């Protein structure tokens, strides 16, 4: 793609797709579609869209604590294991990113041979 520069010359414009990597803010481990590192979100009010954890991370955070505790991300909401639900939208995005990454790795131009 060419873009017109201020001086009248053409410039090459590179478009790059930005992929979002989902990580648990507690364990810093990458989230997966399923399993213990699947994304979960609190269902009660007072949270921001960033309040997403791996199930294993939030279970570890809540371990040994009674009742609802302050959210480790927004600190305005509370977290209780009973009020968590799987974030199917994030799981779908993780799956699509994995598929796309695998497709890119299989592409012959992905790793040019010198």
């Amino acid at each position: 793609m060419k873009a017109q520069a201020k001086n009248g010359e053409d410039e090459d414009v590179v478009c790059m797709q930005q992929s979002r990597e989902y990580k648990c803010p507690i364990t810093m481990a990458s989230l997966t579609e399923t399993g213990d590192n699947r994304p979960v979100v609190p269902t009660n009010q007072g949270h921001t869209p960033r309040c997403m954890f791996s199930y294993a991370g939030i279970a570890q955070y809540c371990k040994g604590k009674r009742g609802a505790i302050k959210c480790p991300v927004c600190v305005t909401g509370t977290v209780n294991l009973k009020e968590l639900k799987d974030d199917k939208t994030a799981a779908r995005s993780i799956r699509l990113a994995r598929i796309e990454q695998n497709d890119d790795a299989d592409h012959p131009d992905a790793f040019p041979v010198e």
Side-chain angles (χ1 to χ4, degrees):
M1 174 185 277
K2 298 279 184 184
Q4 193 70 26
K6 287 182 182 178
N7 61 6
E9 296 179 18
D10 289 338
E11 291 183 357
D12 288 330
V13 176
V14 178
C15 296
M16 298 182 68
Q17 184 177 8
Q18 182 180 2
S19 62
R20 178 175 178 192
E21 184 176 2
Y22 292 92
K23 288 193 177 235
C24 175
I26 299 167
T27 64
M28 297 310 293
S30 294
L31 297 177
T32 58
E33 303 164 51
T34 59
D36 285 345
N37 281 332
R38 71 185 181 277
V40 294
V41 292
T43 58
N44 55 346
Q45 294 181 350
H47 294 278
T48 68
R50 296 183 350 212
C51 299
M52 177 174 40
F53 320 97
S54 69
Y55 179 78
I58 197 66
Q60 174 187 342
Y61 184 78
C62 293
K63 188 177 182 176
K65 298 174 182 157
R66 291 187 175 158
I69 55 175
K70 283 190 177 187
C71 176
V73 174
C74 71
V75 300
T76 57
T78 58
V79 177
N80 185 329
L81 290 179
K82 295 176 183 177
E83 296 176 339
L84 295 174
K85 72 172 185 173
D86 289 345
D87 188 339
K88 295 182 190 275
T89 303
R92 189 176 312 115
S93 295
I94 292 165
R95 182 179 70 245
L96 292 173
R98 180 183 48 81
I99 290 169
E100 185 176 299
Q101 186 177 28
N102 287 341
D103 286 348
D104 288 347
D106 293 338
H107 194 276
D109 294 334
F111 304 103
V113 178
E114 295 182 13

